[in-house]
Amino acid sequence: MLDIKRFIASLTFIFTLGSLFAQDSCWVQVRIPVACIRDGKGHATEMTSQAIMGTPLLLLDSVNGEWLHIKAPDGYEGYMNVSSVAFKSSSEMEAWRKARRMTVTSYPEIKLYSNPRDFSSRNTVTELVNGSIAELIDSVGDMNLLRLPDGREGWAKRTALTPIEMWASQPFDADSIIARCYALMGTPYLWGACSTKSVDCSGLVRVSYFANGILTLRDARQQIEIGERIPATDTAALRRGDLLFFSSTPDGRIGHVAIYDSDGRYIHSSGRVKTNVMSNDDPDFSNRVYRGASRIDGMIPSEGITQVIDHPWYF
């Protein structure tokens, strides 16, 4: 019965996105390493999320030609400055989906260079964070020539890249997800941040799962609604990669999420990316109210969780 429910939920999720895609006449793609998504039409408004290079975004409206109302692949809406994106027609996006593309899968950020043999700073085209997507134009030795959404081209080391189909169809791998989290140890917390440069608590979930080719909903209050629920009383059932949820009061709004490692230890973004332990002796844990967990493993695809290979905005 669970498999049938998951299948129906997956069809509903994909059908909704597919219908939206069919009705669309205009898209944009992120053209800078990390672009800010805001809750209003101005730089002074709150940053609620981010999107990285190559992310396809549905253009909902243009505001005075400077601010764009956009929808992200996870359904998240907000405003983005026009300087952060390249405009794309539906036919251009269809060609992009069929093109040879590479995803940045190295843990550190990489640079794209205009010269494949000269890596001096004056030859830098841009940097690319983990999860960035670009078209593959050519390969020479250990270097790949990539094209960005705005048409700029540059060279990157092949070892830092993976064909998009391979990255987007990875099986669930808790070890890989946890390794991504630990690679970000010490990374600063920033409200609304969602890249390897900085993350908020739910941003860490998004970045680590996206590195495994899995797209989840954005905020902690949304993430608690996805996956298989594990009650707060059943801590013995927790497995690596499970999402742990917290609030300030027993009945309060979910305000924090962490990722379970093992032996009671979890990793999360709180001030910085760090680890703590599910023990009353741990100040971080005891200062919050643990509200249970959600398991993503075994729930792909289901509502709010999709493998990127199955997402119609990417393929």
Side-chain angles (χ1 to χ4, degrees):
M1 183 63 70
L2 178 59
D3 288 342
I4 294 175
K5 288 182 179 179
R6 287 170 50 198
F7 179 69
I8 292 174
S10 173
L11 288 181
T12 302
F13 183 62
I14 293 174
F15 176 79
T16 301
L17 291 173
S19 298
L20 189 58
F21 159 68
Q23 298 168 6
D24 153 62
S25 61
C26 193
W27 298 79
V28 294
Q29 268 188 300
V30 177
R31 64 188 290 266
I32 59 176
V34 182
C36 297
I37 299 175
R38 299 187 177 278
D39 70 352
K41 311 161 189 176
H43 290 292
T45 60
E46 182 179 64
M47 184 177 75
T48 55
S49 191
Q50 294 177 320
I52 59 178
M53 178 78 78
T55 302
L57 304 169
L58 182 63
L59 179 60
L60 301 177
D61 190 21
S62 177
V63 183
N64 298 325
E66 182 180 1
W67 290 94
L68 308 176
H69 185 195
I70 55 88
K71 181 187 288 287
D74 58 5
Y76 206 90
E77 291 187 26
Y79 294 88
M80 185 173 289
N81 191 270
V82 67
S83 64
S84 300
V85 301
F87 286 84
K88 301 288 181 177
S89 66
S90 292
S91 59
E92 288 173 324
M93 288 304 301
E94 183 63 23
W96 177 79
R97 294 183 187 97
K98 296 177 180 178
R100 293 192 305 166
R101 293 165 292 163
M102 304 296 286
T103 304
V104 176
T105 49
S106 69
Y107 279 11
E109 299 162 7
I110 67 169
K111 295 289 183 71
L112 209 62
Y113 296 97
S114 58
N115 188 317
R117 293 175 295 276
D118 186 349
F119 303 151
S120 60
S121 58
R122 68 177 62 244
N123 287 323
T124 300
V125 176
T126 188
E127 66 177 12
L128 298 173
V129 300
N130 186 273
S132 300
I133 300 171
E135 291 185 51
L136 176 63
I137 306 303
D138 196 7
S139 296
V140 176
D142 64 346
M143 301 294 290
N144 281 348
L145 178 62
L146 304 178
R147 178 179 295 146
L148 303 176
D150 58 7
R152 289 177 295 160
E153 296 183 358
W155 297 86
K157 290 189 176 181
R158 183 180 299 175
T159 54
L161 307 168
T162 299
I164 190 171
E165 295 82 2
M166 293 179 59
W167 161 77
S169 58
Q170 300 171 74
F172 179 89
D173 186 344
D175 290 340
S176 176
I177 292 168
I178 296 299
R180 159 55 58 197
C181 291
Y182 278 103
L184 295 176
M185 283 288 282
T187 298
Y189 176 97
L190 177 63
W191 179 272
C194 191
S195 82
T196 51
K197 287 180 170 294
S198 55
V199 288
D200 60 16
C201 63
S202 56
L204 179 63
V205 171
R206 281 293 304 275
V207 168
S208 59
Y209 269 84
F210 197 64
N212 197 194
I214 300 166
L215 183 64
T216 71
L217 296 183
R218 173 62 178 94
D219 295 331
R221 60 181 173 80
Q222 299 172 313
Q223 291 168 353
I224 196 173
E225 302 295 336
I226 65 177
E228 178 186 353
R229 293 290 293 133
I230 302 169
T233 54
D234 194 7
T235 56
L238 293 173
R239 299 203 308 243
R240 299 190 88 204
D242 289 345
L243 308 184
L244 311 179
F245 296 95
F246 303 84
S247 60
S248 298
T249 62
D251 298 318
R253 179 177 176 176
I254 297 301
H256 191 64
V257 60
I259 302 176
Y260 188 73
D261 183 0
S262 58
D263 300 323
R265 186 170 300 277
Y266 58 92
I267 186 166
H268 61 144
S269 181
S270 178
R272 66 181 187 280
V273 177
K274 61 182 182 179
T275 60
N276 286 95
V277 179
M278 300 179 75
S279 167
N280 289 331
D281 294 332
D282 187 308
D284 184 276
F285 183 76
S286 60
N287 284 336
R288 309 178 196 268
V289 179
Y290 173 55
R291 300 286 294 278
S294 288
R295 178 163 296 149
I296 307 302
D297 187 16
M299 297 298 292
I300 309 166
S302 61
E303 187 173 0
I305 310 169
T306 187
Q307 199 82 27
V308 177
I309 193 73
D310 297 323
H311 198 301
W313 291 20
Y314 288 90
F315 291 93

